[in-house]
Amino acid sequence: MDFFEVIHTQRSIRRFKPDPVPDDVIWKMIDAAIRAPSGSNLQPWVWLVVRDQAKREAVARAVRERLEAEGRLQEMRRNAEQLETASRRLSVRRAVELFENLAAAPVLIIPCLIGVTSPVSEARSLFAGSSIYGAVQNLMLAARALGVGTVLTTPNIYVEEMLVKEFHLPENAIPACIIPVGFPDGQRFGPTTRKPAETVTYWDDWGAAADRRD
Ligand SMILES: Cc1cc2nc3c(=O)[nH]c(=O)nc-3n(C[C@H](O)[C@H](O)[C@H](O)COP(=O)(O)O)c2cc1C
């Protein structure tokens, strides 16, 4: 599959078939992830692949309960009705559905930042994240190229303690996100629409837009 076709059709998939994802496909995704750059090439990551149903259900339960308790699911349900475009409403409805049952994905991948010291040692800073989120994107692009759906989700922020206990994470490991993985069920890849590049690019000085001729 052409590289740019992968990029332009990689998008969040939130509904999955129950079919298992073959191990060799998961390995290919991780092999792509770990090609990413990281500060001082320290590769400060571990890829926790969760296939076990009981464990996926434990994560799903923790996420659902915590997001309900925080009022976040209720807020998302309200947003889902109020957003302007039908496609945004559908995306949020699907995001709610996914958080109601994260275990519907046959695999959850939890990338963990571990022992990061470059570009900074403060593991929870934006700059530490730069040493793992590029790899996360590689993983998701590889999945797309293989016909596998993924979505970067961040409920790990709310259930970190549970993840630490359930998966026996060492003290210096921090879950960076939770990526549900599976074959898409009734959802198409791309086209991935975004604000045009010309509207978010300045040349040589802040605010200096340029006409685009290509
Ligand atoms: C940092 C980050 C956090 C995200 N968190 C969530 C999330 O918790 N749940 C979810 O369903 N999608 C999440 N997403 C996916 C975005 O909603 C999605 O990428 C965006 O709406 C664009 O849609 P597309 O990927 O289908 O093009 C997250 C994406 C990023 C980059």
Side-chain angles (χ1 to χ4, degrees), residues 10-12 14 88 95 98-99 151-155 192-194:
Q10 199 286 327
R11 59 165 312 207
S12 300
R14 299 188 174 91
R88 288 282 299 134
L98 183 63
F99 280 157
V151 51
L152 193 167
T153 75
T154 41
T192 306
T193 50
R194 296 289 187 261

Side-chain angles (χ1 to χ4, degrees), residues 22-209:
D23 285 2
D24 66 308
V25 168
I26 301 283
W27 282 122
K28 269 191 186 150
M29 289 163 53
I30 295 174
D31 266 335
I34 63 168
R35 305 298 139 186
S38 58
S40 307
N41 198 21
L42 291 177
Q43 305 162 53
W45 47 56
V46 164
W47 306 85
L48 186 57
V49 180
V50 187
R51 288 173 307 184
D52 181 85
Q53 181 152 356
K55 290 189 180 210
R56 282 186 291 114
E57 281 172 3
V59 174
R61 195 175 326 113
V63 166
R64 184 174 56 247
E65 287 176 1
R66 193 57 206 284
L67 293 183
E68 288 277 9
E70 299 260 340
R72 290 188 176 267
L73 269 179
Q74 296 88 321
E75 189 186 327
M76 285 170 79
R77 287 188 194 106
R78 277 196 302 278
N79 280 345
E81 300 318 313
Q82 287 163 7
L83 287 165
E84 273 173 29
T85 63
S87 70
R88 288 282 299 134
R89 287 195 293 276
L90 184 63
S91 289
V92 178
R93 271 205 296 275
R94 293 257 164 91
V96 171
E97 237 177 59
L98 183 63
F99 280 157
E100 285 169 341
N101 185 17
L102 214 49
V107 181
L108 298 176
I109 297 184
I110 308 178
C112 295
L113 194 58
I114 181 156
V116 67
T117 54
S118 177
V120 290
S121 300
E122 177 30 65
R124 290 175 193 278
S125 92
L126 164 69
F127 306 111
S130 62
S131 270
I132 192 165
Y133 290 115
V136 167
Q137 177 70 355
N138 270 11
L139 179 115
M140 296 197 303
L141 289 172
R144 163 64 194 108
L146 295 163
V148 172
T150 58
V151 51
L152 193 167
T153 75
T154 41
N156 51 296
I157 295 167
Y158 303 101
V159 299
E160 186 170 313
E161 220 179 288
M162 178 271 169
L163 297 175
V164 167
K165 279 199 196 123
E166 179 75 28
F167 299 104
H168 308 102
L169 303 188
E171 211 169 282
N172 60 350
I174 298 183
C177 56
I178 300 178
I179 308 176
V181 178
F183 293 103
D185 184 11
Q187 217 190 324
R188 278 180 300 123
F189 289 108
T192 306
T193 50
R194 296 289 187 261
K195 296 177 209 171
E198 312 84 88
T199 67
V200 293
T201 307
Y202 299 141
W203 296 74
D204 301 322
D205 201 8
W206 188 270

